[in-house]
Amino acid sequence: MTDLIRSTATEVVGLLRAGDVSPIEVLVALEEHVFATDKAVNALPIRFFDAARAAAGQLERDRPTPTDRGWLAGLPVAIKDYNDVGGQLTTSGSPIFADAVAVESDAMVRQVEVHGGIPYAKSNVPEFAGGHTYNTIWGATRNPWHTGRSAGGSSGGSAAALASGSAWLATGNDLGGSLRTPAGYNGVVGVRPTPGLVPRKRPPVPFDALWVEGPMARNVADAALLLDALAGPDAHDPLTRERPARSFVEQLDRVPEFLRVGYTPDLGVLPVEREIRDVTERSLSHFRDLGADVTGEAPDFTGAYETFQTLRAQFLATVRGDLLETDRHRIKDDIIWNLELGLTQSLADVQAAERARGELVHRTMDFFADHDVLVVPSAPLNPFPVEWTAPSSIEGTPMRTYVDWISITFMITLTACPVVALPCGLSGEGIPVGIQLVGRPGSEGLLLGVASAFERAVGIAEQLPIAPRELG
């Protein structure tokens, strides 16, 4: 079944729809690979293959015709451990929830299940959205390209599972870069959609637009497939809306005849390693080959760092602040600091941050009045040693907090723009370097089309270290 494991999600779905393989046969092949491979990576610490086989059997009984089984047709899907799968653990990487079992699947996971996806494992996460995927329950997830390095986070488990062949598709979510950083570090694809495209887990702050759910995959076409399965409305998420009339898979050949691309290596305000700048700048030639006009223009992100830190702290304190009274001794120090910041910062600080975010949104929309895409690195440095909590400095600039090193993604979060993150080349050590393709709200189809054409030129998806012997 090695050929099946190396096949793309789109190819396996094609086999499932044709009846050439059954959902249970696909699960058996995947289970064998996970048990052979994941011990070197630790991407999927929570596994429930028996329940997955039962769900696959039920799908076959309920929908006996393979072509009636939805977008995913019985394909297994890895679910990030911040999301609920009915009857399974949702630990969020915290000892507080080490034994928490979800009563039912949440809104995004229901979309997976309704469209024929079979959850079979939960992917590893950092405690409460810290930037690097490690926790005291399951340990650290390792980068399959170099197992001594970080897989990024917080969707590091999903990204590492994809890169190592232990998933064809995986879910993620993104507040500060949780889809985008690990996509770049692991040589896979992550899509941060426009807020409201994908329903969220019964959002505790329903009108918040910082946090979104989204797909992760080994390539752009597979990410479009999962986005088609995830998109749709949910009564508990007031930002959601009806799915687009035209599928994202159908838009993969969508590249405008005239494409204007802006590029910034650092958003004008951030330290970025020289090698990251060099690799991303070289990759711009692929956009020019598409006929794009590449400029050095970008929105002004002055003040965005402080704005995001304030709004993120406000969000975390709103959602998790009560845990300081009940479980402070079981929360890691970085999270305690972040929660306390949210609980103690002034109303004036939050009001100033809201105004600043509004100004940034307007500057960004002005930029997109004459640009189609903004290209930015997805991380300011190469994957760091897996034992680190976070980098202490970048290019000689000290990092003040445990999430400073993902500023290049979290500042983009403030704009509410969709982003496709994907690899653009390899570092001198042979580890992927990634970029973010940013577009105006609602432009996922265009971004996926441009990303698909770019991906064919770069060709990293074919090099993923899927076999155990290849994991370094």
Side-chain angles (χ1 to χ4, degrees):
M1 289 288 190
T2 301
D3 289 343
L4 191 63
I5 293 297
R6 285 192 170 275
S7 297
T8 68
T10 300
E11 290 167 343
V12 179
V13 166
L15 294 173
L16 287 163
R17 285 181 178 152
D20 293 336
V21 294
S22 72
I24 290 178
E25 287 173 328
V26 171
L27 273 167
V28 169
L30 184 62
E31 184 174 16
E32 291 176 357
H33 182 80
V34 169
F35 277 89
T37 301
D38 198 54
K39 57 191 173 186
V41 178
N42 192 32
L44 301 174
I46 304 170
R47 305 168 193 165
F48 36 94
F49 279 99
D50 287 345
R53 278 189 286 273
Q58 191 65 50
L59 179 68
E60 291 181 283
R61 289 188 293 275
D62 291 346
R63 305 186 217 176
T65 303
T67 53
D68 291 340
R69 294 174 187 160
W71 282 106
L72 304 177
L75 187 76
V77 180
I79 306 297
K80 186 174 178 180
D81 191 28
Y82 293 153
N83 292 93
D84 293 337
V85 175
Q88 306 302 332
L89 287 172
T90 302
T91 73
S92 297
S94 170
I96 298 170
F97 302 111
D99 300 314
V101 175
V103 175
E104 61 181 5
S105 298
D106 66 33
M108 183 189 66
V109 176
R110 288 198 299 272
Q111 289 288 98
V112 170
E113 294 168 334
V114 164
H115 291 290
I118 308 293
Y120 65 97
K122 302 290 286 293
S123 62
N124 202 21
V125 296
E127 180 182 359
F128 301 148
H132 164 48
T133 302
Y134 74 98
N135 59 66
T136 57
I137 305 174
W138 310 113
T141 294
R142 296 174 177 271
N143 191 312
W145 294 80
H146 187 313
T147 54
R149 301 295 174 84
S150 170
S154 63
S155 304
S158 288
L162 291 162
S164 59
S166 290
W168 286 286
L169 295 175
T171 68
N173 39 45
D174 190 298
L175 194 153
S178 293
L179 278 158
R180 293 164 282 161
T181 308
Y185 272 10
N186 293 271
V188 299
V189 178
V191 181
R192 178 189 163 89
T194 306
L197 183 60
V198 176
R200 296 170 294 175
K201 175 184 176 178
R202 201 178 179 94
V205 187
F207 290 95
D208 166 71
L210 295 179
W211 158 41
V212 299
E213 307 279 358
M216 302 186 75
R218 297 182 198 169
N219 60 52
V220 174
D222 290 355
L225 173 68
L226 184 52
L227 186 57
D228 276 322
L230 297 181
D234 182 76
H236 289 278
D237 190 343
L239 296 184
T240 57
R241 55 195 180 275
E242 292 298 326
R243 56 179 301 108
R246 190 180 179 206
S247 77
F248 296 109
V249 168
E250 291 173 335
Q251 298 182 65
L252 286 170
D253 59 355
R254 181 185 175 188
V255 179
E257 186 175 344
F258 178 74
L259 182 69
R260 198 150 195 250
V261 175
Y263 169 71
T264 171
D266 54 13
L267 299 180
V269 294
L270 297 172
V272 174
E273 283 185 351
R274 181 72 257 171
E275 185 173 36
I276 301 295
R277 293 173 182 266
D278 291 344
V279 173
T280 55
E281 286 172 10
R282 284 197 298 270
S283 76
L284 297 177
S285 64
H286 299 308
F287 294 105
R288 297 188 181 96
D289 290 343
L290 296 174
D293 175 24
V294 180
T295 77
E297 299 174 40
D300 179 4
F301 280 85
T302 302
Y305 170 88
E306 294 80 8
T307 298
F308 180 83
Q309 289 282 32
T310 299
L311 295 179
R312 180 179 189 268
Q314 173 80 0
F315 177 80
L316 290 178
T318 301
V319 175
R320 299 289 193 186
D322 60 318
L323 293 178
L324 287 180
E325 293 186 13
T326 60
D327 293 277
R328 185 187 185 98
H329 63 289
R330 293 198 284 176
I331 303 173
K332 68 180 183 180
D333 290 345
D334 286 332
I335 302 298
I336 290 174
W337 165 82
N338 224 161
L339 292 173
E340 289 182 335
L341 174 63
L343 292 169
T344 59
Q345 62 191 3
S346 70
L347 177 59
D349 290 336
V350 177
Q351 291 170 335
E354 291 287 6
R355 288 193 299 272
R357 184 186 184 188
E359 292 165 0
L360 174 60
V361 166
H362 298 312
R363 293 196 299 269
T364 303
M365 294 309 103
D366 289 342
F367 168 82
F368 282 120
D370 59 4
H371 285 79
D372 301 291
V373 178
L374 175 65
V375 177
V376 189
S378 58
L381 77 167
N382 285 308
F384 48 86
V386 71
E387 296 83 9
W388 292 9
T389 300
S392 59
S393 66
I394 299 173
E395 291 290 292
T397 299
M399 301 290 100
R400 290 177 278 174
T401 77
Y402 73 112
V403 292
D404 273 23
W405 68 279
I406 59 169
S407 299
I408 204 162
T409 50
F410 73 51
M411 287 163 65
I412 301 252
T413 292
L414 295 168
T415 68
C417 289
V419 186
V420 176
L422 74 168
C424 68
L426 298 174
S427 71
E429 290 187 289
I431 303 174
V433 174
I435 54 172
Q436 306 175 76
L437 306 187
V438 187
R440 62 179 61 82
S443 66
E444 284 85 357
L446 179 146
L447 290 177
L448 287 164
V450 172
S452 182
F454 177 86
E455 175 186 64
R456 288 193 293 272
V458 175
I460 288 177
E462 295 84 12
Q463 303 177 47
L464 294 177
I466 285 174
R469 67 181 181 277
E470 295 172 321
L471 298 177

